[in-house]
Amino acid sequence: MPGKTLLLVICFTVLCGSLEAQNQFSTSHLQCLPDTVDASALFDAGISSSDGRGVGSIPEEALRRIRQDAEKGDAKAQNTMGICFQKGLGVAKSDSVAALWYRRAAVQGNASAQFNLAAMLTSGRGVPRNYTSAAYWFHRSAVQGVTEAQSNLGTFYNHGRGVTRSPVMAQEWYRKAADHGDAGAMCNLGMMYLSGRDVPRDKVQAVQLIRQAADQGSPFGQYLLGVLYEGGHGVERNSLMAMSLYRKSARLGSSDAMCKLGTLYLFGKGGVPKDPALGLSWVRKAADRENAYAQFLLGFIYEMGEVVPKNYDEALRWCRKAADQELPDAQYLLGSMYERGHGVERNDLEAARWYHRAGGQGYEPARKRMLLFPVNWLDCVP
């Protein structure tokens, strides 16, 4: 059975400085729905916002006009109705109804709706998760010039989600988005150049792209630049600079930076004193923001019972959240909990299913574990 030492090594390697960890697929790293309603649709309805970008609520009369236009077939209004239902602006919040409005606008060619529908299909909010359909709608949106869709499509190609894996196509879509100023694409393209796994290694260009994203104020760019300084990847190692960037990124809401700060304080790394309570608070903040790594780490902490009292129910809950975001580390840990009967009735078949999902992503500990189960692997396909 997987032992405590092995799990600790895996957790520490993934969350405390491994560049490979930054390249793993997680739905929490995709760009998502904007927080504001389409300002142009409100303008058409006779309402404007003070900042020109959107509003946090919608007057009843404006919503009535938008709904009328949407029911008449206006795609922009339909997309706006989708946002209203997803955010609960003037209507009862409903992801499923939001998805219906997005789809109505998307089939008419509305690029924003195509992106929003793809984001829901990716996360499984309001609709069953379907990476193939998500990739289709991201592509439809991307060819119309939506940079967030281009960046997400690059991520799909980079990890083979809904499409045949193609680093060449990933690089192409990342470059398109980066050339239009998309900070997320700059970061992802920079990581490709830094790892050299699928493209020629180019540390100079990697650091340049990530620094450019950080200078634009991108929380993720600042976080990644911190990772580079912490590990001395393409830059001179500087723990103080790394911590400064992590804190700046966390203040801007980066769950990745929150999780990183949490791990550093939990283990007393990166030049900071060991402080389990502070570390746990940062990890919990990140987990509450749907960060898959933080959810995995929180599940691990509850499963081990060294920082907090052991609680298998909480371990299973947080681990499953991360596993559902396709994080292979969490899928492996979840499999081990089923194998050992921690928080659930022991179930070798269910353990094998989770090992299979993690192993299918090339996660080596899970692939080794799969060999120990004398079951029909055809029954283990999720």
Side-chain angles (χ1 to χ4, degrees):
M1 296 183 187
K4 180 181 295 188
T5 300
L6 176 59
L7 289 173
L8 182 59
V9 169
I10 292 167
C11 180
F12 182 80
T13 300
V14 170
L15 293 172
C16 295
S18 168
L19 284 179
E20 187 65 24
Q22 312 308 323
N23 288 318
Q24 290 185 359
F25 179 85
S26 170
T27 59
S28 63
H29 288 156
L30 293 171
Q31 300 194 56
C32 300
L33 178 74
D35 287 332
T36 53
V37 175
D38 188 344
S40 59
L42 294 180
F43 181 80
D44 291 343
I47 301 296
S48 61
S49 61
S50 59
D51 63 4
R53 294 176 298 175
V55 296
S57 61
I58 299 181
E60 184 177 343
E61 177 61 20
L63 183 62
R64 185 184 65 80
R65 295 179 190 176
I66 294 171
R67 187 188 290 271
Q68 283 181 343
D69 290 343
E71 290 174 347
K72 291 177 182 178
D74 182 273
K76 183 185 292 185
Q78 290 171 343
N79 181 56
T80 300
M81 285 302 301
I83 296 175
C84 288
F85 274 101
Q86 188 165 4
K87 298 296 179 182
L89 301 175
V91 294
K93 187 174 181 179
S94 172
D95 286 340
S96 59
V97 175
L100 291 174
W101 282 113
Y102 289 148
R103 190 176 295 277
R104 290 176 67 177
V107 297
Q108 293 194 69
N110 184 279
S112 295
Q114 291 168 345
F115 172 83
N116 292 337
L117 178 60
M120 297 194 80
L121 287 163
T122 301
S123 66
R125 293 169 55 188
V127 291
R129 177 176 287 162
N130 188 321
Y131 290 132
T132 301
S133 294
Y136 169 80
W137 288 112
F138 274 140
H139 185 270
R140 290 279 301 273
S141 182
V143 296
Q144 294 195 66
V146 176
T147 56
E148 295 89 351
Q150 293 169 345
S151 181
N152 284 357
L153 190 58
T155 298
F156 271 49
Y157 275 111
N158 196 20
H159 297 279
R161 289 292 183 271
V163 293
T164 301
R165 185 173 186 272
S166 171
V168 173
M169 292 298 295
Q171 186 178 14
E172 179 180 325
W173 283 110
Y174 283 151
R175 176 60 67 184
K176 284 179 183 290
D179 287 346
H180 286 90
D182 186 89
M186 293 174 192
C187 292
N188 289 325
L189 188 57
M191 290 305 299
M192 289 187 74
Y193 283 127
L194 192 65
S195 69
R197 186 178 61 178
D198 297 306
V199 298
R201 188 187 300 272
D202 189 335
K203 291 185 177 180
V204 174
Q205 188 167 185
V207 174
Q208 180 182 348
L209 283 164
I210 293 172
R211 192 182 299 277
Q212 184 179 351
D215 289 344
Q216 285 184 195
S218 163
F220 188 53
Q222 293 167 350
Y223 158 72
L224 278 183
L225 191 58
V227 172
L228 300 190
Y229 275 110
E230 182 190 352
H233 304 295
V235 295
E236 186 176 348
R237 189 188 299 269
N238 189 327
S239 297
L240 291 178
M241 178 64 74
M243 285 298 296
S244 175
L245 287 163
Y246 291 150
R247 291 191 177 103
K248 183 184 296 185
S249 178
R251 284 196 298 269
L252 292 174
S254 168
S255 62
D256 292 299
M258 293 174 190
C259 184
K260 171 62 77 169
L261 286 171
T263 60
L264 293 177
Y265 280 111
L266 281 171
F267 293 104
K269 299 293 182 179
V272 300
K274 186 174 182 179
D275 188 334
L278 181 57
L280 183 63
S281 70
W282 277 116
V283 172
R284 193 178 296 279
K285 286 180 181 179
D288 287 339
R289 287 167 172 78
E290 302 301 323
N291 184 284
Y293 292 105
Q295 291 170 342
F296 159 59
L297 181 54
L298 198 55
F300 171 83
I301 289 172
Y302 276 114
E303 207 266 349
M304 291 292 102
E306 296 179 358
V307 179
V308 296
K310 186 172 293 191
N311 187 326
Y312 289 144
D313 289 339
E314 281 295 285
L316 191 73
R317 182 171 76 89
W318 286 108
C319 196
R320 190 181 296 279
K321 282 177 176 286
D324 286 342
Q325 292 199 61
E326 302 301 331
L327 189 67
D329 315 85
Q331 292 169 341
Y332 173 76
L333 181 56
L334 194 57
S336 76
M337 293 185 74
Y338 274 104
E339 183 184 355
R340 293 177 290 165
H342 285 187
V344 290
E345 185 177 349
R346 180 171 176 173
N347 187 327
D348 282 354
L349 180 57
E350 193 65 19
R353 291 181 190 278
W354 286 108
Y355 287 145
H356 180 82
R357 285 179 65 172
Q361 298 190 63
Y363 194 71
E364 193 58 32
R367 296 179 69 163
K368 292 179 179 178
R369 205 77 202 145
M370 287 161 57
L371 301 177
L372 303 179
F373 285 84
V375 297
N376 184 348
W377 286 107
L378 293 178
D379 294 336
C380 296
V381 178

